[in-house]
Amino acid sequence: MSTPEDFMREALALAAEAAAAGEVPVGAVVVKDGRVIGRGFNRPVSTADPTAHAEIVALREACSALGNYRLPGCQLYVTLEPCAMCVGAMVHARLARVVYGARDPKTGACGSIADLPGLATFNHHGHFEGGLLAEESAALLKRFFAERR
C-alpha cells in the first residue's frame, strides 16, 4: 500500500511532464483502495481546451476506469490548490478526499481566493486539505515561471 506522500510524488512526476511539454506544471492522481486509477497533468495549451486541468484529466480517466461519473471512496492528490472549476467537478464526482500541495493565491478555491469546499449549500462534502509536499510543488512552479521570464 502506498502512502499519501507516494501518491503526491506521483502527481509531482506528472507535473514535471507538464512542464516538459510547456504547460504549467500541475499533476494529479485519483486513488481508490490504494491504487491509482486516474492520472493527469495540465494540457490546456496543447489541447486548446480550457478544461484540461490536471485534476479534470485525472477525473476523466478514473471515471472511465470505473465506468461511473461518481467516484465515491476515491481520493485525489494534486500538486496545486484546485480552482473553482476543478472543485466543482470534484464535488460532482463525490470524491471522499482531496489533498493538494501548494496554495494558489491567484485562483485557488480551497481557501486562497474562495473556500468553495466550505459552502454548506453543496450537496456533497468531501474532505479537502492542503500542504502535502507543498514546498516541492511550489518549487516546481517557481522554476517553471522563472525560466519563462
Side-chain angles (χ1 to χ4, degrees):
M1 183 87 91
S2 295
T3 67
E5 290 80 8
D6 293 331
F7 295 129
M8 188 62 82
R9 288 191 200 294
E10 185 163 350
L12 280 164
L14 290 163
E17 285 188 49
E23 301 274 5
V24 174
V26 178
V29 297
V30 177
V31 176
K32 177 143 179 91
D33 300 327
R35 186 174 60 89
V36 175
I37 61 168
R39 292 172 176 81
F41 59 82
N42 267 5
R43 300 177 188 183
V45 174
S46 62
T47 62
D49 178 359
T51 70
H53 289 196
E55 301 96 309
I56 301 298
V57 174
L59 286 170
R60 287 176 179 154
E61 188 173 291
C63 289
S64 180
L66 296 183
N68 193 343
Y69 75 99
R70 291 195 174 155
L71 300 171
C74 292
Q75 301 88 45
L76 185 143
Y77 294 83
V78 61
T79 58
L80 184 64
E81 179 182 0
C83 71
M85 174 187 69
C86 292
V87 169
M90 292 167 188
V91 168
H92 285 293
R94 308 291 199 268
L95 290 172
R97 181 177 181 217
V98 175
V99 179
Y100 62 89
R103 294 191 66 77
D104 184 351
K106 293 185 179 182
T107 64
C110 297
S112 288
I113 64 161
D115 184 18
L116 295 183
L119 290 176
T121 54
F122 272 142
N123 62 340
H124 172 75
H125 292 277
H127 179 74
F128 285 72
E129 62 188 84
L132 182 62
L133 302 183
E135 289 180 19
E136 292 92 327
S137 297
L140 187 58
L141 287 157
K142 286 178 186 170
R143 273 194 310 274
F144 176 81
F145 287 113
E147 291 170 3
R148 298 262 178 268
R149 293 186 183 121

